[in-house]
Amino acid sequence: MRLLLTGSPGSSYAQLIAVLIVFVLVLGITAATTKWIANYQKQQSTGANIQVIETSRISNNKYVQIVRVGETYMVIAVCKDTVTLLGQVPEEQLKISGNVQSFRFKELLDKAVGRQSRAAEEPGESRDHDEHEA
């Protein structure tokens, strides 16, 4: 026990570096596994007939969703225990973006932390410019 506590400063630095390397490896393996599982689940749930177009939160466990089923667009209310059809919407009345329900973890993390993504910045602006003003 006494030998572990009286190690040289060099060995404690080596232990710190070893722990950091193991930590980074575990993070890398976790990220790769998460990405693989997400791709697997995406392939399993991909269908040509049902697609969630947009979701809007009303309260903690209540949502309104626009869903495409075949060629029909429907508005549904999703609650904790029920799903209710509110009506149908003609496709001409919808503003549908090209990439529906595709989220990237980095974008969600940036939103959660409060940072803006590079894509959201106007051309000609740089992050360095914003940081110097603050």
Side-chain angles (χ1 to χ4, degrees), residues 32-90:
T33 303
T34 302
K35 189 171 187 175
W36 178 77
I37 289 173
N39 286 334
Y40 176 77
Q41 288 180 343
K42 187 176 183 181
Q43 290 171 355
Q44 294 297 322
S45 66
T46 301
N49 294 313
I50 299 174
Q51 184 178 23
V52 176
I53 304 299
E54 188 174 336
T55 301
S56 179
R57 185 178 189 170
I58 296 174
S59 68
N60 274 347
N61 58 357
K62 296 179 183 175
Y63 300 88
V64 173
Q65 293 184 332
I66 299 174
V67 181
R68 181 183 57 81
V69 178
E71 296 297 319
T72 306
Y73 290 89
M74 299 179 205
V75 179
I76 59 174
V78 180
C79 300
K80 182 178 178 184
D81 296 327
T82 61
V83 175
T84 306
L85 176 65
L86 299 177
Q88 294 184 0
V89 179

Side-chain angles (χ1 to χ4, degrees), residues 104-124:
R104 294 181 185 236
F105 179 73
K106 183 174 184 337
E107 293 170 0
L108 292 174
L109 182 63
D110 287 345
K111 283 183 183 179
V113 174
R115 294 181 282 183
Q116 293 180 349
S117 66
R118 282 220 176 263
E121 291 182 6
E122 292 183 27

